[in-house]
Amino acid sequence: MRVAAIDCGTNAIRLLIANVSDNSEKLVDVARRMEIVRLGEGVDRTGLLAPAAIERTRQALLGYAAEIAELGVTRVRMCATSATRDAGNAQDFRDMVRGVLGIDPEVITGEEEAALSFLGAVRGLDAPGPYLVFDLGGGSTEFVTGTTSVEHAISMDIGCVRMTERHLHGDPPTPAEIAAATEDIVAAVDTALAAVPGKQARTLVGLAGTVTTVAALALELDGYDSTRIHHSRIPAADVARVTRDLLSMTVAERRALPVMHPGRADVIGAGALIEQIIVERSGHDTIIASEHDILDGIAFGLAAD
């Protein structure tokens, strides 16, 4: 069965077209796409999705819709996450999606987001459970623990876009700004780790673009290589080193890094800081970076329906 999964978050909109086996145990990529649309730009401040952000997302979706039609997809599901949970004008976004794709986006809860991310992350992972999986997005970060299935999950309103807009205004950010962001993030992470409970997990797995970009920098890759990044094990000390480096750089300097997506350069400092604090507060000395995440979970779920 050929399915299409779309994940629309605060910062990026991503597409996975995949063939899924009849028993829903194996997924073979046909296409993966990602566009930085910054749908959640300003939501933390205004409570509304900006018309320009909705239009950027519409343009990306037009391209995705054409590829879905061309590749003969039989089932499509689009999940919208943090930004559209927060926005007072989310109906404008839903109307736009229906006009482009012909389906309604599912504005899922943080707990549903966590469960889908967990499913995508742990299937095929060669590491001992129980797992602590976190999905570091633009507006929120989902924390989930379990071994073969989700046992505990929580969503916290810390993400790379939200923390940048709230705290990191300098270029590069000042020590005072970093300290304020750190205090905010530590409080949220400690709350999450107590709720899930994350400190009892044997393996820490990180998802999404911040985590994979930090892994690429830690591995000192000459270019972004998903095959080398997927399931790489990054020491906590390397995460801390990369975070310090990123926070000391200007946006232009980050954008010049060979593994950096240009649309991520202005928010990667906050994202790396969130990752570093999760690693430290959970007590792990290594993090596994996964290229498989909520998109894979959506795809597996489509085949199982």
Side-chain angles (χ1 to χ4, degrees):
M1 177 186 299
R2 180 162 292 182
V3 301
I6 300 172
D7 168 40
C8 186
T10 302
N11 194 43
I13 184 167
R14 301 180 303 140
L15 167 70
L16 168 62
I17 297 176
N19 295 328
V20 186
S21 60
D22 291 340
N23 61 4
S24 299
E25 287 298 321
K26 185 177 180 182
L27 184 152
V28 178
D29 288 12
V30 176
R32 283 186 190 257
R33 304 283 181 261
M34 189 270 286
E35 298 285 343
I36 301 288
V37 295
R38 201 62 59 84
L39 177 63
E41 185 174 22
V43 164
D44 192 49
R45 175 177 51 83
T46 67
L48 298 172
L49 296 171
I54 294 176
E55 176 59 21
R56 290 194 297 268
T57 307
R58 188 182 76 87
Q59 291 297 325
L61 271 179
L62 286 170
Y64 289 175
E67 192 160 10
I68 286 167
E70 180 182 346
L71 292 175
V73 168
T74 57
R75 290 186 182 179
V76 181
R77 183 184 183 193
M78 176 174 172
C79 292
T81 52
S82 178
T84 49
R85 285 198 301 267
D86 299 340
N89 61 338
Q91 188 61 48
D92 294 344
F93 169 77
R94 289 192 288 269
D95 291 343
M96 179 276 291
V97 172
R98 192 181 305 113
V100 173
L101 288 180
I103 61 170
D104 288 323
E106 299 178 42
V107 182
I108 60 176
T109 67
E111 287 71 24
E112 290 171 320
E113 188 175 352
L116 287 168
S117 296
F118 183 84
L119 174 62
V122 305
R123 189 164 295 191
L125 178 62
D126 183 16
Y131 308 106
L132 167 60
V133 177
F134 69 93
D135 187 353
L136 202 170
S140 65
T141 297
E142 284 63 53
F143 298 77
V144 57
T145 54
T147 301
T148 58
S149 61
V150 173
E151 296 171 11
H152 304 277
I154 190 170
S155 177
M156 303 301 295
D157 283 340
I158 50 171
C160 58
V161 174
R162 194 185 297 269
M163 290 298 99
T164 300
E165 291 184 350
R166 188 177 294 177
H167 296 295
L168 304 183
H169 304 132
D171 187 23
T174 67
E177 290 170 348
I178 295 169
T182 298
E183 182 179 2
D184 203 354
I185 296 163
V186 166
V189 169
D190 285 352
T191 297
L193 294 177
V196 284
K199 293 185 178 181
Q200 298 174 15
R202 295 179 64 190
T203 299
L204 176 65
V205 184
L207 313 181
T210 287
V211 175
T212 57
T213 302
V214 168
L217 291 168
L219 293 168
E220 299 181 349
L221 301 182
D222 293 331
Y224 194 93
D225 184 345
S226 61
T227 59
R228 292 188 61 186
I229 294 166
H230 184 51
H231 288 175
S232 60
R233 287 163 165 79
I234 308 300
D238 287 351
V239 174
R241 172 180 57 81
V242 170
T243 300
R244 286 193 302 271
D245 289 347
L246 289 170
L247 287 171
S248 70
M249 294 178 182
T250 65
V251 172
E253 289 170 336
R254 296 175 196 159
R255 192 170 285 126
L257 296 170
V259 301
M260 186 68 62
H261 188 290
R264 201 179 301 284
D266 60 332
V267 296
I268 188 71
L273 184 61
I274 295 168
E275 179 181 352
Q276 178 188 341
I277 290 170
I278 292 171
V279 174
E280 291 175 349
R281 305 299 284 190
S282 65
H284 286 85
D285 57 12
T286 302
I287 177 174
I288 295 177
S290 177
E291 289 275 354
H292 293 178
D293 51 29
I294 188 172
L295 278 177
D296 303 75
I298 295 169
F300 279 123
L302 274 170
D305 288 344

